[in-house]
Structures are given as structure tokens and as C-alpha cells.
Amino acid sequence: MSAIVNKKTLLSAIALTGLFAVTAVALASGPEKIGTVDTAFKLVGRDHDIIVEAYDDPDVQGVTCYVSRARTGGVKGSLGLAEDRSEASISCHQVSAITFPKPLKDQDEVFSERTSLVFKRLRVVRMVDVKRNALVYLTYSDKLIDGSPQNSVSAVPVAHGTQIPLKK
């Protein structure tokens, strides 16, 4: 009987370890909150604020993008029901040696985050500027109905002698 209990305990421990590993990977690939600044006091619910998050490019090791965006507070914002404003700013930087584990598309969406219950997303697209050997990052907000012209761009030069590998 104790052998059966030990096997069940062992299997439970292995399953729990696997769950923690999957959760850790999922959290590592998402944004990392750097900080927030309150912009307007709300009597009920959280204040309106600006949040700054870091996104590591999943396909380019050594590049991190910092995105700042408005976040709506109040009761709706606290419950996740508010629609955040479309403005965002981006600044991308080389934070360690840049390496390419696999070839890149000449243009690819690298991050996407919901900013309203259903209709709006904050997106970051990476473009490869082959002529200048640089990675260009564009952030914008899209809305299912009519989109948004608000956008911000940042570029990261790649060291001379390092060629950006492109998918063919």
C-alpha cells in the first residue's frame, strides 16, 4: 500500500513541477513591469496611471523594448473593463550581445497585449532595415472598428560585421 501512495505522491510532485515550469516560461515571455506613475486620482478603484513595461524580443537575444502606455483606472479599470487610451511610446535598446537563434522575417509582430475587454490591442512590430543593418520596432494600438494613427518607433543598430539573418 505504501508503494502505491509513494508512486501517487511522486507523480503528483512531477506534475506540480511541470506546471510550475510551464507557468515560469509563460511569465518569462510576457512583459516585465518596470514601474508606474499616477496621473489622476480616482476615489474608487485604482488611479489612472502610466505603466512602463520591458519586453525582451523573443527572436533576438540581447534586445529589450521599453513600452510606456496610459492605463485607465477607476472601477472599470480595476475590473479590466475600461478601454485604455491609444497612445504608447517605445524605446528599444541593446542590453547584451545581439544574437539570432533563427532567421527573422523582414517584418513580424513580436508583442501584442489586450488594452480593452474585446476590441483593442497594443502591438509591437519588428522590421529589418537591411541597408542600415538595424532592427526597427514600431508600437501602435489597433481597434477592431477603425484603428488608430497613434504610433511610436525605435531602432536598434546591429554591430558592423554581424549580418541579420532573414528567412527566405
Side-chain angles (χ1 to χ4, degrees):
M1 181 86 173
S2 67
I4 294 172
V5 171
N6 286 340
K7 283 184 180 179
K8 284 184 178 180
T9 304
L10 180 61
L11 290 175
S12 295
I14 290 170
L16 193 57
T17 303
L19 179 63
F20 284 137
V22 169
T23 302
V25 168
L27 291 174
S29 62
E32 177 184 340
K33 181 178 168 186
I34 301 301
T36 60
V37 176
D38 287 348
T39 58
F41 173 75
K42 299 302 284 181
L43 189 58
V44 179
R46 77 165 188 256
D47 294 344
H48 294 316
D49 58 17
I50 296 172
I51 184 169
V52 177
E53 297 171 315
Y55 295 82
D56 295 321
D57 188 323
D59 298 325
V60 181
Q61 294 174 351
V63 173
T64 299
C65 292
Y66 298 90
V67 177
S68 67
R69 60 184 175 84
R71 194 169 58 169
T72 304
V75 174
K76 284 185 177 181
S78 297
L79 296 173
L81 302 174
E83 184 170 303
D84 292 338
R85 296 181 58 93
S86 294
E87 295 92 5
S89 179
I90 190 169
S91 181
C92 300
H93 299 274
Q94 178 179 350
V95 294
S96 65
I98 294 178
T99 59
F100 304 94
K102 61 183 182 181
L104 304 176
K105 294 179 182 177
D106 60 345
Q107 181 172 316
D108 196 13
E109 182 176 283
V110 291
F111 315 116
S112 178
E113 185 175 337
R114 184 179 61 84
T115 56
S116 76
L117 189 58
V118 178
F119 300 111
K120 193 188 295 185
R121 297 191 74 78
L122 175 71
R123 300 185 184 277
V124 175
V125 174
R126 177 193 343 96
M127 302 171 196
V128 178
D129 180 350
V130 175
K131 181 178 178 182
R132 293 163 193 83
N133 206 39
L135 302 169
V136 179
Y137 293 86
L138 168 72
T139 186
Y140 67 98
S141 177
D142 69 356
K143 193 170 183 179
L144 187 62
I145 299 165
D146 63 0
S148 171
Q150 302 292 329
N151 64 82
S152 181
V153 69
S154 182
V156 177
V158 177
H160 295 300
T162 301
Q163 185 176 357
I164 302 170
L166 290 176
K167 283 186 179 178
K168 297 184 184 215

